[in-house]
Amino acid sequence: MKQPIPNQPLPDPRRLAKRRRNLLYRLPFAMTDTATGAAETDYSATLFLPETEFPMRAGLPDREPGWLKRWEEMDIYGLQREQAKDRPLFTIHDGPPYANGNIHIGHALNKTLKDLVSRSMQMLGFNSAYVPGWDCHGLPIEWKIEEQYRAKGKDKNEVPVVEFRQECRTFAEQWVDIQREEFKRLGVLGEWDNPYLTMSFDAEAQIARELMKVATTGQLYRGSKPVMWSVVERTALAEAEIEYQDYESDTIWVKFPVEQRNLSAVADRIRSQTEIVERVLVDTMQEAPARPLSVEESMQIAEKYLPSDAKVVIWTTTPWTIPANRAVSFSGMVSYGLYEITKAPEGNWASVGEKYILADKLAAETFAKAKVDEFARIADVDPSHIISCSHPLKGFGGGYQFHVPLIDADHVTDDAGTGFVHTAPSHGLEDYEAWNEYHRKRSQAFANTVGISLAERAQFLSDMARDAAIPYVVGDDGFYTNEAPGFEGARVIDDNGKKGDANNRVIAALAERNAMVARGRVKHSYPHSWRSKKPVIFRNTPQWFVYMDRDIEGAAGDTLRHRALNAIDATKFYPAAGQNRLRAMIADRPDWVLSRQRAWGVPITVFVEKTTQDILKDETVNHRIAQSFEEEGADAWYKPGAAQRYLGDAYKAGDYEMVTDVLDVWFDSGSTHSFVLRNKQKWPHLKFPASLYLEGSDQHRGWFHSSLLESCATNGHAPYEGVLTHGFTMDGDGKKMSKSLGNTVAPQDIIKQYGADILRLWVASSDYSEDLRLGKEIIQTTVDAYRKLRNTLRWLLGNLAHYEASDEVAFADMPELEQLMLHRLAQLDAQVRTAYKEYDYRRIVTLLTNFMNIELSAFYFDIRKDALYCDPISSIKRKASLTVLNHLYMCLTAWLAPILVFTMEEVWLERFPGEGSSVHLRQFPDVPTEWLNEDLAAKWTLIRAVRRVVTGALEVERREKRIGSSLEAAPKVFITDERYLTALAGEDLAEIAITSDIQVGNAEAPAGAFTLDDVSGIAVVPALAQGQRCARSWKVLPDVGSDPEFPDVSLRDAQALRERAAAGLEPLA
RNA sequence: UGGCCCGUAGCUCAGUUGGUUAGAGCGCACGCCUGAUAAGCGUGAGGUCGGCAGUUCGAGUCUGCCCGGGCCAACCA
């Protein structure tokens, strides 16, 4: 697959403008502007300014590979396992991607989410191993190899199966290697050196064991199903191997004589419909009596309305399927009538006096085709009152003696034909489904009737099996089989793909028995083989099925469907809607078809006794099979002499048919739990059932579904405790990504331009329960969020350069502002842990970005800059703040580590470098619940309201150019609401509002004072701060100048300078 | 065409059992700062809650229909 050319995103012009403004400040002429007034001493060297090498710009695309290398070298995955070996297990079981092609954005989303789960569970205190896997068998890989053959002019059928399979294996191996590197680049941590592959020998052996377990417990049976079949190539074809071309088909209209009727139902209807009754009375009884009809009378009328000589007319484009007819379908949504032919040419197939049942909308058209001159409509017909017809070929060649039931089927319309659909379950998928549905309903109705003896039940089931059997009318060579009596030797399609004589012979036989109404030809689009370009047919083919509704090992009611539905109830779904979706699918689905007539897969390792058709159930044989697969892979099945090798001395190979079909690959992947989660030797850190399966929502029909059925069949319960589904990745407008639209986004490109952490942050901040959007603007939003986050952490790191563990301040000794921050940390701790447990990553991103932006960057950090930068070494406030910064650092790096795996490692190593050091070896830190203090938080909510009013007042001053920095102000605050006064008691509002001074008074404000609409009882009157500007702290204070040693700074700053000198930090200016 | 799901500011998301004037972060505009500087702070403008109809005193929340989008309906994974 070719990757689209990476888009070099054009910078947003507005973004550029902002950048230009910032750059202006650095130009020399800009400096002259600000350099008015007396030169101030530059005290910056005497401040505790942030010091860090941590770059503002991440350079993720270049730097991420370095961390990956580091983790690989230190074997971080192994260290995690070792560290967590005594902890409870959490197992996210990997749904295997298919090993062909590069990964796309959907893979990236899926693997990233799994990594978020796995890493967060590890940090929450579990031993959370992650073993990635690949799905290796299957048709797409076969195709690729066949394509290579065709390019070389080689014929697949001439290559020994084992050799062909070897080429498929090599192909899959190559893609496993490529995808493995792509997945690792996303930052996904897992057992990459020891993944599982559905084609590894132990897997193939276990898949066969599972299949044999299904067989020996009586859940496997051989039935049949129509599949697309190419007579020319003698092979089944997949939908993708089909192309549609125009084709001329013979069409025929055929009479099906009505056989069994439900006359009393017709009579009931007549009695309930007065208008009909009136019409009937005029017609049949000469005069109308003013009384309800008796049952007898209505029965007489019914006989006239649904007479025994009526004929249902069908239309078909495949006359050759008539011998395979087993039913006639109609629709309850279509109106039908009984018609009598009143005028037609002599010798016409449709002759005068014949009564046809047709859809009203199509009657005229049908009679036109039948060259009928005149006809009359006699009555309404409800086809459900016809129980069965006889076959139009009844007795032909001694066959076709069965009843042909009428089936109400959804797929029938009155758009074309006659409103009745000839139903041949051997030759059409809809026919097949309608047929099975009909018998399923009959069987259900029977099961629901009360008072049935076991003998009656057995008799019913056996009759049912006989009636429901689907005939094999056409062989793989296109010739009729002996299940089409009277047509021996006729052929549907010949070796060159031309029409055989089947149609003509069928039409002749029908005409001879007066079953034809009309014939014609029609041009329509018809399926052809992609390879030979010749028409294909739907053909009944033997297939292996798993029963959905048979009692397993004789336990009444213990069916696979029942087990699966129970298992769904016992499973937790994220989001909850997934439960209904899966339940509906399981409740409706037909029996599971396991067989595929293909080469690259695990064979259905079953022997069938030729005379009895029984499946051989012998543990010794089964053991030999599994053993050989362990040693040689499933290829062993295809090696010469394999049959006798497995059957041993006990059986003769000649008595048994060795099945050569392979398993549906869904059985492979549905079995992963058995060969991965329960292989304790290979993966000791995994548990069964898995804690979680996590895939895209398409896997309700796929892996969730097949794994559930497989495990219910072999274990009786689900292989998972929880199921998490995510949506699909759409483009920026919510449209599906497709190569033809050119709106795809390749994960490789995002990584190259922005880095994997950006991709991961996008995943974490999206709502994965719905479809996710990804486009240029969304990536930019993510990049912006990342930058803000990174800078906040950078400032934290810069200040922590001055942190000393020995300066730690005890919680009780801290100022309230510090206690407030720790309270928030304790709150967040609970919220973050809960969100991680619920796989709610976007909540974590929202919670933490809001906290970091609003409460840290814009509030706490802004306020504490003064103390952190300027306070004396001895200052408790400064030490307390540093203590809080350390806690913030410890928590934030851990909480974000599962998401920003690279950046958090970078932040961690900046402070704690060392060979064995890694943020990913940590757990979420214990946060003391003693820090929680709701009263304090409530109090500070009030204080922050006061602060907002002050800030608002200052903004007016700024706008009026009376102040620039807030430190130039010393506003007066008038408070009439007691609650605010109480809250402010003992707090330094000037510090909190970042002004040089402030006055707070319990008094009515003068007119014109600044207020906010949503805060009552507070008013602010602005004023300039009195005193001189401190050259060190830039506050405007009256005490500046009162220290003789440092006349240009405030007393606090003079003290700070003295302490620094005493500590020998730097010489004084 | 059927089954299931989704639609709230430019973007990502909150919106309890229906209940004041629909919120947040980012982005954007404007201003401040220049000791977090390709940073930091503040203020502000952005919404017919996809549309229509209904239930209700009251609907982003409940119901129906419609529009738009997605997944599923394969011898594809």
Side-chain angles (χ1 to χ4, degrees):
Chain A
M1 186 174 83
K2 272 190 192 148
Q3 292 303 319
I5 300 157
N7 308 317
Q8 197 60 50
L10 287 170
D12 186 330
R14 288 171 298 193
R15 188 172 294 283
L16 280 177
K18 180 175 178 183
R19 196 163 137 188
R20 226 173 282 127
R21 276 200 309 279
N22 272 318
L23 287 172
L24 274 180
Y25 282 111
R26 306 174 135 198
L27 298 176
F29 63 80
M31 308 255 286
T32 56
D33 234 19
T34 54
T36 52
E40 227 174 32
T41 310
D42 182 0
Y43 280 100
S44 52
T46 74
L47 299 168
F48 292 108
L49 290 177
E51 284 170 23
T52 180
E53 298 290 302
F54 186 83
M56 200 171 229
R57 301 271 289 170
L60 293 174
D62 293 335
R63 300 184 62 201
E64 284 175 346
W67 288 303
L68 286 170
K69 186 157 169 273
R70 175 173 191 271
W71 292 329
E72 192 150 344
E73 281 166 2
M74 70 192 282
D75 183 22
I76 193 132
Y77 181 84
L79 290 173
Q80 280 192 353
R81 297 290 75 71
E82 175 58 26
Q83 177 191 56
K85 63 177 190 283
D86 297 324
R87 299 195 216 150
L89 298 177
F90 180 94
T91 297
I92 177 160
H93 180 37
D94 193 28
Y98 196 64
N100 75 335
N102 295 91
I103 67 165
H104 54 65
I105 194 74
H107 290 117
L109 165 67
N110 176 260
K111 280 288 196 280
T112 302
L113 279 172
K114 283 170 178 163
D115 195 47
L116 293 177
V117 171
S118 158
R119 286 175 183 270
S120 56
M121 286 301 162
Q122 177 78 11
M123 293 186 82
L124 275 167
F126 291 92
N127 180 0
S128 173
Y130 175 61
V131 175
W134 275 274
D135 209 351
C136 305
H137 296 128
L139 182 64
I141 290 177
E142 273 192 52
W143 277 350
K144 286 278 162 60
I145 304 303
E146 281 188 52
E147 228 166 55
Q148 295 173 6
Y149 278 12
R150 276 200 292 283
K152 292 182 215 153
K154 217 156 130 188
D155 182 357
K156 177 190 176 184
N157 296 325
E158 285 165 15
V159 179
V161 181
V162 174
E163 195 179 304
F164 179 79
R165 288 169 56 92
Q166 185 50 50
E167 296 195 51
C168 292
R169 181 174 291 273
T170 308
F171 181 90
E173 276 166 358
Q174 287 167 358
W175 281 108
V176 166
D177 287 341
I178 291 167
Q179 292 192 352
R180 180 186 357 232
E181 290 313 309
E182 292 176 318
F183 287 142
K184 283 159 86 169
R185 182 62 188 81
L186 297 168
V188 176
L189 188 57
E191 212 155 317
W192 296 110
D193 298 335
N194 187 30
Y196 78 81
L197 306 179
T198 58
M199 66 177 178
S200 66
F201 291 176
D202 60 309
E204 291 187 329
Q206 183 58 26
I207 292 165
R209 275 190 209 103
E210 295 285 300
L211 182 269
M212 292 186 285
K213 185 165 180 187
V214 172
T216 51
T217 51
Q219 301 180 73
L220 187 73
Y221 71 96
R222 178 143 62 176
S224 61
K225 190 186 172 180
V227 298
M228 294 274 210
W229 185 270
S230 169
V231 171
V232 175
E233 288 134 327
R234 297 278 200 282
T235 181
L237 295 175
E239 180 70 30
E241 295 170 298
I242 293 292
E243 61 184 28
Y244 288 82
Q245 294 174 14
D246 275 350
Y247 185 71
E248 192 174 66
S249 293
D250 296 313
T251 66
I252 53 171
W253 285 257
V254 183
K255 308 165 197 172
F256 279 63
V258 168
E259 187 187 57
Q260 293 169 289
R261 297 162 294 164
N262 186 350
L263 277 184
S264 56
V266 181
D268 286 349
R269 198 193 58 179
I270 289 167
R271 280 204 306 284
S272 69
Q273 293 180 12
T274 50
E275 76 182 288
I276 292 177
V277 170
E278 280 158 17
R279 271 169 31 211
V280 167
L281 290 175
V282 172
D283 195 34
T284 62
M285 304 183 79
Q286 313 307 327
E287 61 183 62
R291 59 173 174 80
L293 292 176
S294 71
V295 172
E296 213 164 87
E297 283 163 342
S298 63
M299 284 297 279
Q300 278 175 24
I301 300 165
E303 181 61 48
K304 188 173 171 54
Y305 271 48
L306 190 56
S308 59
D309 60 348
K311 287 163 183 174
V312 168
V313 179
I314 64 93
W315 176 73
T316 180
T317 58
T318 49
W320 58 268
T321 59
I322 293 290
N325 175 281
R326 289 299 181 273
V328 171
S329 298
F330 65 93
S331 166
M333 309 300 288
V334 169
S335 83
Y336 295 89
L338 176 69
Y339 293 84
E340 183 169 347
I341 298 169
T342 52
K343 190 178 171 201
E346 195 64 23
N348 200 32
W349 278 341
S351 55
V352 171
E354 278 194 308
K355 293 163 192 152
Y356 293 169
I357 301 169
L358 293 163
D360 291 320
K361 201 178 143 195
L362 295 160
E365 194 185 317
T366 305
F367 283 123
K369 292 279 182 197
K371 301 191 176 73
V372 166
D373 298 316
E374 286 171 20
F375 58 91
R377 187 175 190 278
I378 300 174
D380 295 343
V381 174
D382 180 345
S384 69
H385 295 149
I386 308 168
I387 297 163
S388 70
C389 291
S390 56
H391 197 283
L393 294 170
K394 184 173 178 179
F396 188 79
Y400 314 104
Q401 306 282 357
F402 45 84
H403 306 297
V404 176
L406 270 86
I407 299 178
D408 190 344
D410 294 339
H411 67 279
V412 179
T413 65
D414 55 5
D415 295 340
T418 64
F420 288 102
V421 174
H422 145 62
T423 300
S426 316
H427 297 291
L429 217 49
E430 284 176 328
D431 296 21
Y432 171 83
E433 279 160 10
W435 178 252
N436 283 341
E437 185 61 18
Y438 169 74
H439 284 95
R440 197 159 81 91
K441 276 184 189 154
R442 273 187 67 196
S443 135
Q444 257 173 13
F446 178 81
N448 290 340
T449 47
V450 284
I452 304 162
S453 72
L454 278 178
E456 283 172 315
R457 186 180 160 87
Q459 183 61 47
F460 177 85
L461 288 174
S462 118
D463 289 353
M464 178 83 177
R466 187 199 60 217
D467 293 349
I470 295 171
Y472 298 96
V473 173
V474 177
D476 60 4
D477 49 7
F479 281 104
Y480 279 121
T481 67
N482 58 11
E483 290 195 62
F487 297 105
E488 291 81 0
R491 201 172 188 190
V492 177
I493 287 179
D494 66 21
D495 287 336
N496 297 318
K498 300 280 182 231
K499 271 185 214 169
D501 54 351
N503 279 355
N504 286 336
R505 290 206 23 202
V506 167
I507 292 168
L510 288 169
E512 179 204 317
R513 309 185 72 78
N514 186 29
M516 287 293 291
V517 173
R519 66 178 296 177
R521 282 169 196 271
V522 68
K523 216 173 208 176
H524 58 159
S525 113
Y526 189 86
H528 289 66
S529 164
W530 188 290
R531 278 174 269 178
S532 65
K533 312 292 181 194
K534 298 294 190 251
V536 302
I537 57 173
F538 262 102
R539 175 179 164 266
N540 194 27
T541 312
Q543 301 291 351
W544 290 92
F545 292 82
V546 177
Y547 289 109
M548 286 303 298
D549 297 304
R550 166 159 299 200
D551 295 345
I552 298 171
E553 297 188 283
D558 184 21
T559 65
L560 181 53
R561 196 185 308 275
H562 190 248
R563 283 184 180 184
L565 290 172
N566 282 347
I568 291 169
D569 289 338
T571 303
K572 180 126 175 75
F573 285 78
Y574 308 85
Q579 192 160 35
N580 288 332
R581 187 164 175 183
L582 189 55
R583 189 188 287 122
M585 284 175 182
I586 295 284
D588 284 349
R589 66 155 299 143
D591 287 350
W592 188 3
V593 187
L594 289 188
S595 46
R596 297 292 123 101
Q597 286 73 53
R598 295 283 169 181
W600 178 224
V602 178
I604 295 182
T605 50
V606 162
F607 287 94
V608 182
E609 215 278 331
K610 279 180 179 166
T611 50
T612 61
Q613 290 293 302
D614 285 341
I615 296 172
L616 176 67
K617 296 174 184 172
D618 184 313
E619 280 197 22
T620 317
V621 173
N622 289 351
H623 181 74
R624 280 193 206 110
I625 294 169
Q627 201 53 40
S628 76
F629 282 19
E630 288 278 0
E631 288 154 15
E632 306 154 43
D635 286 352
W637 190 257
Y638 300 94
K639 290 179 182 168
Q644 199 61 64
R645 170 189 181 189
Y646 294 132
L647 292 171
D649 299 333
Y651 313 94
K652 279 199 293 196
D655 295 341
Y656 288 87
E657 176 197 344
M658 185 182 188
V659 175
T660 53
D661 291 353
V662 299
L663 279 164
D664 174 13
V665 285
W666 284 114
F667 192 89
D668 289 21
S669 59
S671 305
T672 54
H673 60 84
S674 82
F675 62 81
V676 179
L677 303 183
R678 296 209 284 193
N679 189 340
K680 277 284 176 188
Q681 280 187 327
K682 219 165 169 179
W683 296 290
H685 299 282
L686 299 180
K687 76 183 195 83
F688 175 83
S691 314
L692 193 71
Y693 275 34
L694 184 163
E695 301 299 329
S697 59
D698 57 333
Q699 298 300 327
H700 284 107
R701 182 59 85 185
W703 194 52
F704 299 143
H705 193 116
S706 60
S707 296
L708 177 70
L709 290 184
E710 207 285 334
S711 180
C712 285
T714 55
N715 303 309
H717 58 81
Y720 38 66
E721 291 161 358
V723 166
L724 186 151
T725 50
H726 57 80
F728 278 63
T729 304
M730 303 296 132
D731 72 5
D733 300 321
K735 295 275 168 64
K736 183 195 192 128
M737 286 187 183
S738 74
K739 274 177 230 159
S740 57
L741 283 175
N743 61 348
T744 53
V745 179
Q748 295 85 351
D749 292 342
I750 295 185
I751 289 170
K752 216 181 293 165
Q753 278 173 32
Y754 304 100
D757 262 359
I758 298 298
L759 196 59
R760 299 177 64 98
L761 185 58
W762 165 72
V763 170
S765 52
S766 300
D767 180 1
Y768 61 73
S769 72
E770 297 174 24
D771 287 338
L772 291 80
R773 293 178 179 209
L774 184 57
K776 217 177 271 183
E777 187 176 12
I778 296 167
I779 295 173
Q780 193 54 54
T781 303
T782 311
V783 170
D784 287 337
Y786 174 87
R787 276 221 286 259
K788 173 70 189 178
L789 208 138
R790 182 178 175 89
N791 265 315
T792 305
L793 287 163
R794 178 168 182 268
W795 186 84
L796 205 49
L797 275 172
N799 283 281
L800 283 168
H802 308 296
Y803 167 88
E804 301 278 349
S806 55
D807 286 340
E808 279 251 0
V809 175
F811 179 71
D813 299 334
M814 289 181 174
E816 282 196 5
L817 187 57
E818 271 62 35
Q819 293 188 357
L820 177 69
M821 287 301 121
L822 295 183
H823 160 77
R824 290 291 295 123
L825 222 36
Q827 268 187 332
L828 282 167
D829 176 59
Q831 290 168 328
V832 167
R833 282 170 189 270
T834 303
Y836 269 127
K837 281 176 200 155
E838 291 169 354
Y839 316 119
D840 191 354
Y841 307 113
R842 93 197 122 136
R843 181 136 172 277
I844 292 164
V845 172
T846 307
L847 230 38
L848 294 184
T849 52
N850 280 355
F851 175 66
M852 291 170 78
N853 293 342
I854 304 168
E855 298 182 72
L856 294 185
S857 187
F859 180 69
Y860 180 69
F861 289 176
D862 215 26
I863 293 169
R864 275 296 178 253
K865 276 181 202 168
D866 176 70
L868 284 166
Y869 297 176
C870 306
D871 263 12
I873 297 170
S874 63
S875 160
I876 293 290
K877 192 193 283 174
R878 188 177 149 268
K879 288 178 183 173
S881 183
L882 284 170
T883 306
V884 166
L885 296 189
N886 184 49
H887 288 308
L888 287 169
Y889 173 89
M890 289 297 172
C891 288
L892 291 173
T893 48
W895 291 341
L896 289 168
I899 299 167
L900 298 172
V901 296
F902 297 102
T903 305
M904 287 311 115
E905 185 74 327
E906 184 189 3
V907 175
W908 184 255
L909 293 178
E910 190 68 22
R911 250 189 113 194
F912 302 106
E915 222 170 277
S917 174
S918 172
V919 74
H920 301 300
L921 293 174
R922 298 176 62 207
Q923 289 182 251
F924 294 135
D926 288 324
V927 177
T929 49
E930 295 79 63
W931 289 356
L932 285 171
N933 187 343
E934 294 296 346
D935 293 342
L936 187 74
K939 171 179 164 180
W940 276 80
T941 303
L942 295 172
I943 295 178
R944 291 185 72 166
V946 181
R947 182 181 195 258
R948 270 175 45 227
V949 185
V950 174
T951 317
L954 294 185
E955 189 59 25
V956 175
E957 295 310 288
R958 198 169 277 140
R959 200 131 286 185
E960 299 297 326
K961 303 288 175 202
R962 286 193 281 263
I963 61 165
S965 161
S966 62
L967 286 176
E968 294 167 33
K972 299 184 175 70
V973 184
F974 299 85
I975 299 180
T976 50
D977 188 328
E978 278 297 329
R979 296 176 307 144
Y980 294 115
L981 284 169
T982 315
L984 283 170
E987 295 298 332
D988 181 354
L989 185 57
E991 177 179 69
I992 295 162
I994 319 183
T995 56
S996 284
D997 194 8
I998 207 157
Q999 288 178 34
V1000 179
N1002 181 7
E1004 288 292 334
F1010 180 87
T1011 56
L1012 283 182
D1013 289 347
D1014 60 331
V1015 185
S1016 63
I1018 304 174
V1020 176
V1021 174
L1024 289 177
Q1026 299 300 304
Q1028 284 178 285
R1029 174 169 141 125
C1030 166
R1032 187 164 176 272
S1033 68
W1034 298 341
K1035 284 186 181 178
V1036 179
L1037 293 171
D1039 66 12
V1040 173
S1042 50
D1043 189 296
E1045 199 178 347
F1046 302 104
D1048 58 347
V1049 304
S1050 72
L1051 289 178
R1052 186 268 314 256
D1053 291 89
Q1055 173 65 19
L1057 288 168
R1058 267 189 284 276
E1059 284 191 24
R1060 289 184 68 94
L1065 275 178
E1066 71 269 319
L1068 296 178

